[in-house]
Amino acid sequence: MRLDYLTIFPDFFAPLELSLPGKAAASGLLDFAVHDLRDWTHDRHRKVDDTPYGGGAGMVMKPEPWGEAFDQLLAPGATVIFTTPSGEPFDQRLAEELATRERLVFACGRYEGIDQRVIDHAREIAEVREISLGDYVLNGGEVAALAITEAVVRLLPGFMGNAESLVEESHAQGGLLEYPVYTKPPLWRGHEVPAVLRSGDHGKVAAWRHEQAVRRTAERRPDLLAPSVLDDGTPIVRATPGDAGEILTLQRACWVQEAQANDTLDIPALQESFDDVRGWLGEWDTWVVRRAGRLVGAVRGRLEGEHTWDIGRIMVAPDLQGSGLGRVLLEHIQAVAPAGVTSYVLFTGAASARNQRLYKKAGFRLRTDLPAPPHAVVLSKRR
Ligand code: JD8
């Protein structure tokens, strides 16, 4: 990847000299250059700004120096990034997209901004992205260019020591915030490292980390938990303890049908009490769907070991069965499985033909080699 920076403050990019070269040179993955915009002025004052048409405070950057700089710098296939407070929000998904480009040219403005014709002109000759680092006002585009550079370059293959860690990160895969991390000593200033992390039980550690990540995200960034929605816009949201009663009611309604289909009442979901439901709501990632306030669907998932996502209790109100809600709940619970999950497992009634059709259509396969609860069959699917 080739990176070019156009700015009236080239020294702003000195940090690149620190962070990039070693790795870049070593891997041949990257080269970069910083350019002083004033190099494309021809007057003795090297003027890059002028007063705004239409009046108002401050100065605007003149178009001519940019035009001449682009004439020299913009080779075919280049992507020009104008960092601007009025740009599209920068996030991990955009970083992953920009990491696929061969050449990025950062146009870093100052003053009140750059003459709009520079952006319009650039769009005629190259891919242009106007990107904002965040909803706050900086004095120029350089800081944003540096931040975008770090977020993009670290995604380049061979750049990060262990690519695996990229998968687990916050915001990667539209995911959860980081779980808390600890290192030695086990006790520090009266603060202990959580015992589960020193248990050696990888399954329990993975489950604790996922539960912590979910809790943090719900507390700090509920927007990241934005529900996926049904075709009619109905959201699938995380269940709360307050949903326990309705979940119990829906569960009983749904498993009466399972009991009829499998000719047995010996089904845990049918036997559970209100407290049982409240109990497992704290252990499973549970999602619900409400229509006109009525809880009409639910599903749960949790880690079994390190890499298996245990799916269960897919419930759809009897009057809505056949509407596709079950399929959407099954897709959703797969989608929200943690990054490290490599397979899904679930079980249903041995005589529950409709459920088994739904799961097989979704790519699950019967697993006669795995132990199944009484009157049930197990199905699994690789992620
Ligand atoms: C480029 C000039 C300053 C902005 C008048 C203050 C990005 N997330 C972000 N916040 N601010 C910027 C940014 C600010 C810039 C320039 C980016 C060029 N300014 C201007 C408009 C109001 N002054 C940014 N990315």
Side-chain angles (χ1 to χ4, degrees):
M1 177 180 275
R2 162 79 185 195
L3 299 170
D4 287 279
Y5 302 85
L6 260 172
T7 170
I8 59 172
F9 294 126
D11 298 346
F12 224 102
F13 292 94
L16 287 178
E17 296 297 342
L18 301 173
S19 64
L20 286 184
K23 296 185 189 134
S27 59
L29 263 178
L30 197 63
D31 62 358
F32 65 94
V34 179
H35 313 277
D36 184 340
L37 185 70
R38 294 185 194 280
D39 293 349
W40 287 276
T41 62
H42 308 290
D43 59 299
R44 67 192 180 85
H45 298 298
R46 310 187 85 205
K47 189 174 175 56
V48 294
D49 64 313
D50 209 330
T51 54
Y53 274 117
M59 301 292 273
V60 172
M61 300 193 87
K62 293 166 59 62
E64 300 93 330
W66 291 101
E68 293 183 33
F70 288 163
D71 293 345
Q72 195 170 326
L73 292 178
L74 291 193
T79 297
V80 182
I81 297 177
F82 290 90
T83 49
T84 165
S86 56
E88 59 181 303
F90 183 62
D91 60 11
Q92 191 64 21
R93 182 202 54 73
L94 184 46
E96 288 156 5
E97 182 189 347
L98 294 174
T100 66
R101 301 297 193 269
E102 273 311 308
R103 182 166 187 163
L104 301 179
V105 177
F106 288 90
C108 306
R110 279 274 154 176
Y111 306 98
E112 298 313 301
I114 302 172
D115 185 301
Q116 180 59 36
R117 293 168 292 178
V118 173
I119 295 100
D120 302 342
H121 168 61
R123 286 188 188 287
E124 293 159 353
I125 53 180
E127 179 193 10
V128 166
R129 306 297 287 262
E130 294 181 79
I131 300 175
S132 169
L133 198 59
D135 299 340
Y136 39 80
V137 179
L138 304 170
N139 286 335
E142 287 79 7
V143 168
L146 280 169
I148 294 169
T149 297
E150 176 153 331
V152 168
V153 167
R154 65 193 299 283
L155 298 174
L156 297 178
F159 227 80
M160 286 295 285
N162 53 0
E164 197 208 323
S165 72
L166 286 177
V167 174
E168 299 257 335
E169 281 166 353
S170 284
H171 307 300
Q173 306 190 25
L176 299 169
L177 296 184
E178 301 287 344
Y179 45 75
V181 291
Y182 302 81
T183 186
K184 298 182 194 66
L187 179 62
W188 178 75
R189 297 192 179 187
H191 295 274
E192 259 201 293
V193 171
V196 63
L197 297 181
R198 297 158 56 213
S199 68
D201 181 328
H202 299 309
K204 282 197 170 56
V205 168
W208 180 88
R209 284 175 169 172
H210 178 63
E211 195 265 328
Q212 290 292 317
V214 169
R215 178 195 305 271
R216 258 185 182 186
T217 309
E219 286 159 5
R220 301 176 188 183
R221 293 293 308 277
D223 60 299
L224 291 177
L225 298 174
S228 47
V229 294
L230 309 184
D231 305 352
D232 65 0
T234 307
I236 304 175
V237 298
R238 278 185 186 283
T240 66
D243 295 323
E246 287 174 277
I247 289 173
L248 176 66
T249 306
L250 180 61
Q251 183 168 287
R252 298 239 171 115
C254 292
W255 265 267
V256 163
Q257 292 173 283
E258 294 304 298
Q260 292 164 331
N262 293 276
D263 190 24
T264 175
L265 293 175
D266 174 22
I267 303 174
L270 209 48
Q271 311 298 339
E272 282 182 351
S273 68
F274 173 69
D275 291 340
D276 292 331
V277 172
R278 276 178 66 78
W280 63 247
L281 274 176
E283 296 153 13
W284 291 72
D285 263 17
T286 307
W287 300 77
V288 296
V289 172
R290 287 182 179 281
R291 279 242 175 85
R294 177 167 71 112
L295 195 147
V296 294
V299 63
R300 70 182 189 181
R302 74 174 176 187
L303 271 172
E304 189 184 292
E306 278 188 81
H307 302 296
T308 301
W309 189 238
D310 191 354
I311 293 171
R313 303 296 163 85
I314 297 182
M315 317 174 197
V316 174
D319 57 305
L320 292 176
Q321 285 167 7
S323 69
L325 179 51
R327 174 180 52 75
V328 174
L329 287 167
L330 181 58
E331 285 163 4
H332 176 79
I333 199 66
Q334 292 174 76
V336 298
V341 164
T342 57
S343 68
Y344 308 109
V345 66
L346 53 82
F347 62 83
T348 188
S352 304
R354 181 158 71 173
N355 297 352
Q356 292 182 38
R357 272 198 305 277
L358 168 72
Y359 301 142
K360 289 173 181 171
K361 201 151 170 258
F364 283 78
R365 291 292 164 267
L366 269 177
R367 295 294 300 278
T368 53
D369 59 315
L370 294 177
H375 319 290
V377 290
V378 174
L379 299 96
S380 72
K381 173 185 174 181
R382 295 206 64 65
R383 188 176 204 177

